[in-house]
C-alpha cells in the first residue's frame, strides 16, 4: 500500500515538473492576452453577478470591454453585451429586470439599458459629453451620473482660447490659475458636473451648474457622490479653496434635489470624500484625513449621523488607510478594504468601532455584498494570477472560493513564479518588508542576475498582485532574472510612522532600506549572482535610481522612468503642488536647504552607471524635462545612456504598443549589462 502511494506521488511530482517545463516565460506582447476582469455587481435577488471583461487587440492598439453575467455560485458565464467599443459600469435596476451601463459604441460614452435576459441594448441618453459612474435611485426612475461639461453662462472673455472664432488656427491657451492640467490631460474650461437622468425619456438635469468641479479632478475616490435612499438628497465632494493646486481640503456637501440648495456636511481642513448613505438613510459613511495638505495621510472611516448631525471615527484603532467602503444590508456593519503589508485586506467594523479582519490573502478589491448580507463578492489577484471573481461566506471561518476562470488558458501557457516574502532590518533598526521572485524555469543550483525594482509614490506599496502596466513583476523576471521588490520607508500598508518617515528625507532612510534589503536578499538566497546587479524604478522609484547613481556604483546598469531629477525644476512644473509641498518642503524658496540636500542633479558629477532613461511627453505629474536633464548629464559625461520618448502617453505607459516597446527597451538594456559576469559590487555607503 505504501509503495503504491509513493509511486503515485512520484508520478504527480514528475507530471508537475514536466508541466512547469512546458510553460513559457512571459514576453511583453503576452500581457495583452490577459482578460481584465473588473467591477462585479450582485443582482437584487442575489442570484447573479454582472461584471466587465476587457480584452486588448495589440495589433489594432485598442481595447474592447463587454458586460458578462455569472451565477452567484459560479458556473458558466454569459456574455450580455457585444457592441463595438467599451461597455462597462454595469448597474442593476432596483427591481433587477434590467442593467444600466456606459458604452461608447456611438463614439461618446452614454448610458444604455439592457434587459437581464439579453436582447438589444437601448440607448437611454444622448449626451454629447462622456457620462460615467451611474447610480440608480431606489425607485428606479432616475440615474445619477457625472459628465465634464462647459458651465452654463461661462464668460467668453474668460475662456482658455477666447479668440477661437476670430483666429481659428490659433491654439493658444490663456491660464489664470494653477492646476490647469492634471496627470495626462489639460483641464480647459470644462468642469465635472452631476446630472440626474430621467429613465423614461433619457432627459438630463445639471444638478451642479456652477463653475466648479463636482467631484474634484484630483484626489478622487471610487465613489465621490451618492443619492439618499428616499431620493430627496444627494451628497457630493467639492473643493472650494481658491488655490486648488496646493489644497487637499475637499469637503462633502448635501444637495436638496428639489430646490438645489446646498449644505456643507464637513468642515475638516483636510480631505473628506467617498460618501455612502446607509441602507436606511440614517448615516453617511465617508473617509477623512486629519493633516491638511498631506495627500497621503491616513484615511479614517467616519460616519455622519444625519439626524444628530454628528461625526464619529470608526477606525482610529487601525493604523491603515481605508480604501473602498461597503455598507452591509442591515446597516449595522461596514466592510472596507485597505493596503496591508503587501496585500489588500478586507475588514469589517460595526457602528461602535469594533474592527474585525475578514481576509488577508491576496490582493482584494471591488467588494460587493449579497442582499441577505451573508456573502461577499470581490476581485482577487496574486502576482501569479490576474484578477478573477471570488466569493466568501460571512458565516463562520470561511475561505474564499474562486468563481471566474477567465485567464485559465493564460495560466496554463505561461510560467508565472509566485512571490516569496521576507523581512529584514532597515535604517535605524526598523523592520522592513520585501518580496523576491525567481525567474521562470528556476534551477536553484544556478546563479542569476538580480534586479532591484523600486516603486513610486513614495507612499505606494509593492504587493502580491498581477499588474499589466507599470513594473509588472513577471516581466522583470521573465528574461532570467531574480526580482527584488522592497517596501522601504514611505511605503503605505505599514502604519503612519513608517509612511511619514520619507517626507523631507527622500534619499535618507528609504535609500538605506533599499540597499539593506538588497544586501539581505543576496546574503540569504544563494542563487543570486552578486556581480550582476541592476536597479529600475519609475516616478519616485525613478528618483530613487537617480539618487542611487550619485551614491554607489554597485549596479551594472539602471533604468530610470519618469523620475524626479532636479527637485527645484520639478516643483516649478508639476501640476499638483501638495506633493512637493509636503514631501520636500513648502517651496524651494521657503526651504531651499531641503531641496538642495535631496536633489539627484547636484550629484551628477559622481554618475558612472549606464542608464536607460524613459519618459512620456504627456506626463504632467513628473514633467518630461526631468528626464531630458538627466539624459543631458549622462551624455555630457560620456556615460553609456539611451533616451526613449513616448509622445502620446502619460505618467504610466498605458497605450498597449507603447507598453510592449517600453518592455523591449528595458529587456534589451538589461541584457547588455547583465549577460555576463563582472566586477563585484562596491560598498554602497556614501562616498
Amino acid at each position: 500500500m505504501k509503495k503504491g502511494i509513493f509511486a503515485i506521488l512520484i508520478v504527480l511530482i514528475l507530471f508537475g515538473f514536466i508541466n512547469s517545463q512546458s510553460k513559457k516565460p512571459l514576453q511583453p506582447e503576452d500581457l495583452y492576452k490577459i482578460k481584465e476582469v473588473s467591477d462585479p455587481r450582485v443582482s437584487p435577488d442575489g442570484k447573479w453577478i454582472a461584471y466587465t471583461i476587457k480584452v486588448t487587440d495589440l495589433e489594432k492598439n485598442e481595447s474592447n470591454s463587454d458586460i458578462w453575467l455569472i451565477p452567484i455560485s459560479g458556473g458558466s458565464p454569459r456574455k450580455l453585451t457585444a457592441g463595438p467599443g467599451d461597455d462597462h459600469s454595469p448597474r442593476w435596476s432596483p427591481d433587477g429586470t434590467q442593467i444600466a451601463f456606459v458604452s461608447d459604441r456611438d463614439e461618446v460614452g452614454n448610458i444604455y439599458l439592457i434587459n437581464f435576459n439579453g436582447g438589444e441594448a437601448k440607448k437611454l441618453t444622448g449626451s454629447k459629453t462622456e457620462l460615467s459612474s451611474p447610480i440608480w435611485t431606489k425607485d428606479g426612475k432616475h440615474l445619477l451620473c457625472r459628465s465634464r461639461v462647459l458651465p452654463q453662462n461661462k464668460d467668453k472673455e474668460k475662456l482658455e482660447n477666447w479668440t477661437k472664432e476670430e483666429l481659428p488656427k490659433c491654439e493658444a491657451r490663456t491660464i489664470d490659475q494653477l492646476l490647469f492640467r492634471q496627470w495626462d490631460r489639460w483641464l480647459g474650461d470644462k468642469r465635472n458636473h452631476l446630472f440626474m437622468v430621467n429613465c423614461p425619456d433619457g432627459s438630463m438635469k445639471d444638478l451642479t451648474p456652477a463653475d466648479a468641479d463636482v467631484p474634484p479632478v484630483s484626489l478622487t475616490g471610487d465613489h465621490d457622490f451618492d443619492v439618499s435612499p428616499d431620493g430627496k438628497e444627494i451628497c457630493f465632494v467639492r473643493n472650494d479653496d481658491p488655490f486648488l493646486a496646493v489644497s487637499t481640503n475637499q469637503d462633502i456637501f448635501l444637495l436638496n434635489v428639489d430646490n438645489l440648495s446646498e449644505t456643507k456636511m464637513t468642515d475638516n481642513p483636510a480631505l473628506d470624500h467617498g460618501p455612502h448613505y446607509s441602507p436606511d438613510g440614517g448615516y453617511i459613511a465617508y473617509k477623512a484625513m486629519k493633516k491638511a495638505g498631506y495627500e497621503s495621510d491616513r484615511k479614517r472611516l467616519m460616519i455622519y449621523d444625519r439626524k444628530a448631525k454628528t461625526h464619529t471615527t470608526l477606525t482610529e484603532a487601525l493604523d491603515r488607510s481605508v480604501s473602498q467602503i461597503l455598507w452591509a444590508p442591515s446597516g449595522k456593519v461596514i466592510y472596507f478594504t485597505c493596503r496591508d503589508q503587501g496585500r489588500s485586506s478586507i475588514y469589517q467594523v460595526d457602528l461602535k468601532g469594533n474592527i474585525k479582519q475578514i481576509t488577508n490573502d491576496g490582493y482584494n478589491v471591488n467588494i460587493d455584498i449579497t442582499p441577505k448580507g451573508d456573502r461577499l463578492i470581490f476581485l482577487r489577484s496574486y502576482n501569479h494570477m490576474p484578477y478573477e471573481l471570488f466569493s466568501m461566506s460571512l458565516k463562520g471561518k470561511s475561505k474564499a472560493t474562486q468563481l471566474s476562470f477567465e485567464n485559465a488558458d493564460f495560466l496554463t501557457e505561461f510560467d508565472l513564479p509566485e512571490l516569496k516574502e521576507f523581512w529584514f532590518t532597515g535604517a535605524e533598526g526598523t523592520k522592513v518588508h520585501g518580496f523576491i521572485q525567481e525567474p521562470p524555469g528556476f534551477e536553484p543550483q544556478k546563479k542569476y542576475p538580480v534586479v532591484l525594482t523600486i516603486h513610486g509614490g513614495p507612499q505606494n506599496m509593492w504587493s502580491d498582485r498581477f499588474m499589466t502596466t507599470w513594473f509588472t513583476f513577471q516581466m522583470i523576471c521573465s528574461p532570467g532574472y531574480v526580482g527584488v521588490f522592497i517596501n522601504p520607508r514611505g511605503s503605505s500598508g505599514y502604519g503612519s510612522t513608517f509612511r511619514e518617515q520619507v517626507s523631507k528625507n527622500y534619499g535618507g532612510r528609504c535609500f538605506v532600506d533599499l540597499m539593506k534589503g538588497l544586501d539581505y536578499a543576496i546574503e540569504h538566497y544563494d542563487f543570486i549572482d552578486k556581480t550582476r546587479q541592476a536597479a529600475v524604478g519609475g516616478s519616485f522609484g525613478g528618483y530613487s535610481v537617480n539618487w542611487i547613481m550619485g551614491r554607489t556604483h554597485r549596479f551594472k546598469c539602471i533604468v530610470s522612468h519618469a523620475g524626479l531629477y532636479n527637485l527645484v525644476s520639478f516643483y516649478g512644473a508639476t501640476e499638483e503642488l501638495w506633493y512637493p509641498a509636503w514631501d520636500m518642503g513648502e517651496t524651494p524658496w521657503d526651504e531651499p536647504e531641503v531641496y538642495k540636500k535631496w536633489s539627484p542633479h547636484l550629484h551628477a558629477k559622481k554618475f558612472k552607471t549606464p542608464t536607460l532613461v524613459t519618459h512620456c511627453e504627456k506626463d504632467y505629474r513628473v514633467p518630461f524635462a526631468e528626464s531630458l536633464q538627466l539624459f543631458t548629464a549622462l551624455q555630457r559625461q560620456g556615460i553609456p545612456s539611451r533616451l526613449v520618448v513616448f509622445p502620446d502617453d502619460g505618467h504610466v505607459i498605458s497605450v498597449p504598443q507603447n507598453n510592449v516597446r517600453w518592455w523591449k527597451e528595458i529587456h534589451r538594456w538589461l541584457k547588455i549589462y547583465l549577460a555576463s559576469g563582472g566586477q563585484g559590487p562596491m560598498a554602497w555607503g556614501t562616498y
Side-chain angles (χ1 to χ4, degrees):
M1 183 67 176
K2 291 183 178 179
K3 290 183 178 179
I5 294 174
F6 182 74
I8 291 172
L9 288 173
I10 292 296
V11 170
L12 290 174
I13 292 171
L14 287 173
F15 175 78
F17 176 78
I18 293 170
N19 186 49
S20 66
Q21 294 299 303
S22 65
K23 292 184 177 182
K24 301 180 296 185
L26 197 66
Q27 301 301 318
E29 296 88 345
D30 299 325
L31 289 171
Y32 297 98
K33 295 181 179 180
I34 294 172
K35 297 179 181 179
E36 296 186 34
V37 180
S38 65
D39 205 6
R41 301 284 170 158
V42 179
S43 63
D45 62 7
K47 296 180 179 180
W48 294 89
I49 305 167
Y51 61 104
T52 302
I53 298 179
K54 184 175 81 170
V55 296
T56 299
D57 187 323
L58 185 58
E59 184 177 350
K60 293 182 179 179
N61 208 27
E62 61 186 24
S63 63
N64 176 279
S65 60
D66 288 295
I67 312 299
W68 288 70
L69 295 173
I70 192 171
I72 197 76
S73 58
S76 300
R78 171 165 64 93
K79 192 174 185 179
L80 187 63
T81 69
D86 287 323
D87 299 338
H88 59 91
S89 304
R91 303 293 183 264
W92 293 91
S93 63
D95 63 7
T97 60
Q98 55 186 344
I99 294 174
F101 64 96
V102 177
S103 176
D104 62 0
R105 58 184 66 185
D106 288 336
E107 296 186 357
V108 176
N110 270 279
I111 296 177
Y112 288 71
L113 297 176
I114 190 168
N115 192 288
F116 158 68
N117 293 319
E120 191 68 27
K122 172 189 173 184
K123 187 176 182 180
L124 177 63
T125 59
S127 177
K128 295 181 180 179
T129 56
E130 299 278 340
L131 305 183
S132 62
S133 308
I135 300 175
W136 285 94
T137 56
K138 299 301 180 184
D139 60 10
K141 295 180 180 179
H142 297 86
L143 282 158
L144 184 65
C145 66
R146 176 179 64 182
S147 191
R148 190 159 183 79
V149 298
L150 189 68
Q152 299 174 14
N153 304 318
K154 180 79 173 182
D155 187 347
K156 180 181 177 181
E157 295 299 317
K158 294 182 179 180
L159 291 177
E160 206 176 45
N161 189 355
W162 58 278
T163 60
K164 182 68 174 177
E165 293 180 3
E166 57 185 295
L167 302 170
K169 299 297 184 181
C170 176
E171 297 294 334
R173 290 166 163 150
T174 301
I175 308 300
D176 294 317
Q177 59 187 10
L178 289 178
L179 200 58
F180 53 89
R181 57 183 187 173
Q182 196 269 336
W183 194 247
D184 61 357
R185 59 176 176 165
W186 282 77
L187 296 177
D189 300 307
K190 292 183 177 181
R191 300 289 180 262
N192 290 340
H193 282 182
L194 297 182
F195 287 83
M196 188 69 83
V197 178
N198 187 326
C199 289
D201 61 13
S203 59
M204 298 170 56
K205 179 181 180 181
D206 190 341
L207 301 179
T208 56
D211 190 6
D213 283 299
V214 179
V217 295
S218 296
L219 302 178
T220 55
D222 58 354
H223 195 279
D224 276 338
F225 56 90
D226 202 5
V227 58
S228 63
D230 61 11
K232 296 180 180 180
E233 182 182 273
I234 287 169
C235 58
F236 62 82
V237 180
R238 188 175 69 216
N239 188 333
D240 282 342
D241 279 5
F243 198 4
L244 295 178
V246 297
S247 172
T248 63
N249 186 22
Q250 297 184 5
D251 283 298
I252 299 173
F253 294 80
L254 306 176
L255 179 72
N256 183 299
V257 173
D258 291 333
N259 58 25
L260 301 188
S261 61
E262 290 183 9
T263 303
K264 192 176 183 181
M265 190 187 97
T266 60
D267 58 5
N268 170 28
L271 178 71
D272 301 295
H273 76 162
H276 291 68
Y277 285 95
S278 61
D280 65 0
Y283 297 93
I284 296 176
Y286 66 99
K287 295 171 286 187
M289 293 180 176
K290 285 187 175 181
K291 298 179 180 179
Y294 183 26
E295 55 82 30
S296 292
D297 190 22
R298 175 157 61 107
K299 293 180 182 178
R300 296 156 173 86
L301 178 56
M302 312 286 294
I303 54 169
Y304 172 70
D305 187 320
R306 294 178 69 198
K307 184 176 181 180
K309 297 184 176 5
T310 57
H311 301 260
T312 303
T313 307
L314 296 183
T315 60
E316 191 61 44
L318 181 67
D319 195 6
R320 297 289 184 269
S321 194
V322 172
S323 184
Q324 185 189 352
I325 298 172
L326 175 69
W327 282 95
S330 66
K332 297 179 180 180
V333 170
I334 300 172
Y335 296 93
F336 62 93
T337 61
C338 60
R339 290 179 175 179
D340 190 11
Q341 297 188 348
R343 296 170 179 82
S344 176
S345 302
I346 302 175
Y347 287 82
Q348 74 172 39
V349 62
D350 63 23
L351 302 190
K352 295 182 179 180
N354 297 308
I355 300 171
K356 176 184 176 182
Q357 188 172 29
I358 301 299
T359 181
N360 191 33
D361 182 22
Y363 202 88
N364 306 289
V365 296
N366 288 182
I367 54 176
D368 200 8
I369 194 166
T370 53
K372 294 181 179 179
D374 59 347
R375 184 169 293 277
L376 288 176
I377 303 298
F378 52 93
L379 297 177
R380 173 177 288 181
S381 174
Y382 300 95
N383 178 57
H384 56 280
M385 186 190 80
Y387 283 108
E388 295 283 3
L389 287 171
F390 278 74
S391 171
M392 175 180 281
S393 172
L394 293 170
K395 296 179 180 179
K397 295 182 179 180
S398 177
K399 291 186 177 181
T401 302
Q402 187 172 341
L403 299 180
S404 70
F405 297 85
E406 299 296 341
N407 291 292
D409 292 341
F410 176 83
L411 296 178
T412 301
E413 184 177 358
F414 297 103
D415 185 358
L416 305 174
E418 297 184 17
L419 280 182
K420 298 178 180 179
E421 60 184 320
F422 60 91
W423 290 82
F424 64 94
T425 302
E428 301 171 347
T430 301
K431 290 296 182 183
V432 180
H433 188 215
F435 294 101
I436 189 168
Q437 182 179 309
E438 299 160 354
F442 175 70
E443 299 177 40
Q445 71 277 11
K446 291 181 63 175
K447 291 281 190 178
Y448 296 91
V450 61
V451 181
L452 174 66
T453 309
I454 309 172
H455 69 61
Q459 297 87 1
N460 209 323
M461 180 186 76
W462 286 138
S463 51
D464 188 4
R465 60 169 168 160
F466 196 104
M467 297 185 294
T468 54
T469 57
W470 207 239
F471 287 101
T472 307
F473 290 7
Q474 300 292 348
M475 293 306 308
I476 290 289
C477 300
S478 65
Y481 309 136
V482 174
V484 173
F485 309 90
I486 306 296
N487 282 325
R489 223 59 60 91
S491 300
S492 56
Y494 300 90
S496 298
T497 300
F498 191 91
R499 184 187 67 250
E500 292 170 3
Q501 285 184 333
V502 75
S503 297
K504 299 187 180 182
N505 191 258
Y506 263 24
R509 301 180 189 94
C510 177
F511 169 73
V512 176
D513 288 348
L514 291 166
M515 297 300 102
K516 282 183 174 290
L518 181 57
D519 287 343
Y520 178 93
I522 291 171
E523 180 182 352
H524 288 80
Y525 297 94
D526 294 339
F527 48 81
I528 292 178
D529 182 351
K530 66 180 181 180
T531 68
R532 292 187 286 167
Q533 303 177 36
V536 304
S539 193
F540 177 79
Y543 164 87
S544 295
V545 296
N546 296 344
W547 179 257
I548 282 170
M549 280 192 286
R551 306 291 287 181
T552 175
H553 300 148
R554 70 184 290 173
F555 296 102
K556 290 293 185 183
C557 67
I558 274 174
V559 177
S560 176
H561 173 70
L564 289 69
Y565 176 67
N566 180 333
L567 296 187
V568 174
S569 65
F570 167 74
Y571 178 89
T574 191
E575 76 315 20
E576 295 178 346
L577 293 176
W578 50 74
Y579 286 101
W582 187 278
D583 274 349
M584 295 188 296
E586 186 61 32
T587 68
W589 50 90
D590 289 319
E591 301 185 64
E593 69 284 350
V594 178
Y595 285 79
K596 181 179 180 180
K597 182 176 183 179
W598 301 119
S599 190
H601 85 286
L602 295 176
H603 302 274
K605 189 67 176 176
K606 300 175 183 177
F607 291 178
K608 292 183 179 180
T609 309
T611 302
L612 171 66
V613 184
T614 66
H615 216 125
C616 303
E617 290 188 26
K618 292 174 66 178
D619 183 356
Y620 304 143
R621 179 59 44 85
V622 180
F624 176 43
E626 292 298 297
S627 285
L628 293 182
Q629 294 178 70
L630 171 61
F631 184 64
T632 297
L634 294 165
Q635 287 281 303
R636 288 285 290 141
Q637 297 181 85
I639 300 169
S641 50
R642 176 180 294 148
L643 175 66
V644 182
V645 180
F646 298 90
D648 58 339
D649 232 326
H651 192 56
V652 176
I653 298 177
S654 57
V655 176
Q657 291 191 13
N658 287 352
N659 197 36
V660 171
R661 169 66 180 274
W662 184 57
W663 276 113
K664 287 182 177 293
E665 293 280 0
I666 294 173
H667 285 175
R668 182 168 66 159
W669 192 254
L670 294 176
K671 183 178 180 180
I672 292 171
Y673 295 98
L674 297 181
S676 60
Q679 299 297 318
M682 293 177 59
W684 57 261
T686 303
Y687 56 76

